[in-house]
Structures are given as structure tokens and as C-alpha cells.
Amino acid sequence: MLEGHEIPGDLKYTKDHEWLRIENNGCRVGITDYAQNSLHEVVYADLPKVGRRLAQKESFGTVESVKAVSEVYSPISGEVVEVNQKLADSPELINKEPYGEGWLILMKPSKLEEEAGELMSAKEYEEFLSKLTEEKK
């Protein structure tokens, strides 16, 4: 595991630091521990409306912190079927539980088979982060 960054093995990851969890009722999406840590204290999440159709890699909202505003991109194509309403009152959940209560949206995928293969495994994401942090040194 990369210095202090949690990278669950059951998720898929993007180079923009989003994660995807495939569930029975769709695909849950959030930002990684690395992303929330880089943002610091999250104060607001601007998320899409239920029913919005997203293309893979399309921006669907922003996560704002005391430090920066960061775009959030869809790891796969599909329709937004649920938005995490808890974040309206408690955006800090993104910092506290990025892989749990701090999820952003639930999607009904339209091309899961072909697009999920383009995402990184936990091991690949960890290697990607290692290279990224080496470049910053």
C-alpha cells in the first residue's frame, strides 16, 4: 500500500482519482483516498441530477475544498440513478469515508463490459500513484 493511502482491492480506478464499485443494483462512484487527501477539507459537492446520462470520462460535478475546486469524471457511461444526499449537509464524509458514506453517485451502466476493462485495478492504481508521487519529488 502506498504511504498512508487506502486503496481497496475490490474497486476499479481512473487516472483522475475516481473509483468504481460494481454492485448488484449498479455502479457506485466516488473519489479516492488520495484525491480527498490532496483536496484537504471538503466543504461542498456539486453533483448531477438523477436521470442524467453520462459518457465515460465526462465531468459530472465538482468537489470543493478550502484549497481547491476539483472536477469529478465518470469512470463509465451510464445513467445517474442516485445521488448521495448526505453530502449536502455533510460534505466532510468524502474526507472521512471516501470509499463508504462519502460516495458520490450510483449509476446504471450502459457499456460496463467494455469500459470496466479500461479502468485500473487496485495494484495498477497503486503503481500509478507511486509514479505520480515520484514525479512530484
Side-chain angles (χ1 to χ4, degrees):
M1 185 185 299
L2 193 68
E3 293 173 34
H5 293 294
E6 185 183 352
I7 305 172
D10 63 330
L11 306 178
K12 294 286 193 179
Y13 299 88
T14 71
K15 288 184 177 175
D16 293 309
H17 310 289
E18 289 88 17
W19 57 261
L20 177 84
R21 178 182 291 122
I22 300 167
E23 301 177 351
N24 293 339
N25 57 346
C27 294
R28 202 166 299 272
V29 177
I31 65 169
T32 65
D33 186 41
Y34 177 86
Q36 71 78 21
N37 195 44
S38 299
L39 283 168
H40 293 285
E41 188 183 331
V42 175
V43 293
Y44 181 72
D46 181 28
L47 301 175
K49 294 193 179 331
V50 170
R52 179 167 166 196
R53 295 195 169 278
L54 298 169
Q56 186 179 35
K57 300 179 183 165
E58 180 181 347
S59 171
F60 66 78
T62 56
V63 174
E64 297 178 26
S65 72
V66 292
K67 237 178 112 174
V69 176
S70 185
E71 297 263 339
V72 189
Y73 302 94
S74 182
I76 56 167
S77 302
E79 181 182 345
V80 177
V81 293
E82 189 180 343
V83 173
N84 189 347
Q85 298 298 330
K86 290 181 183 177
L87 298 180
D89 295 324
S90 304
E92 70 278 2
L93 287 171
I94 295 170
N95 295 116
K96 290 179 182 168
E97 296 184 56
Y99 302 112
E101 293 294 313
W103 61 274
L104 303 177
I105 62 172
L106 182 66
M107 298 178 68
K108 179 181 168 194
S110 56
K111 300 177 185 172
L112 184 60
E113 294 293 317
E114 57 199 77
E115 292 177 345
E118 296 172 28
L119 303 174
M120 290 182 276
S121 68
K123 185 172 180 4
E124 290 167 329
Y125 183 64
E126 187 174 346
E127 289 167 2
F128 171 73
L129 286 184
S130 293
K131 287 180 187 147
L132 199 64
T133 52
E134 281 299 311
E135 288 169 11
K136 287 183 177 180
K137 288 181 182 174

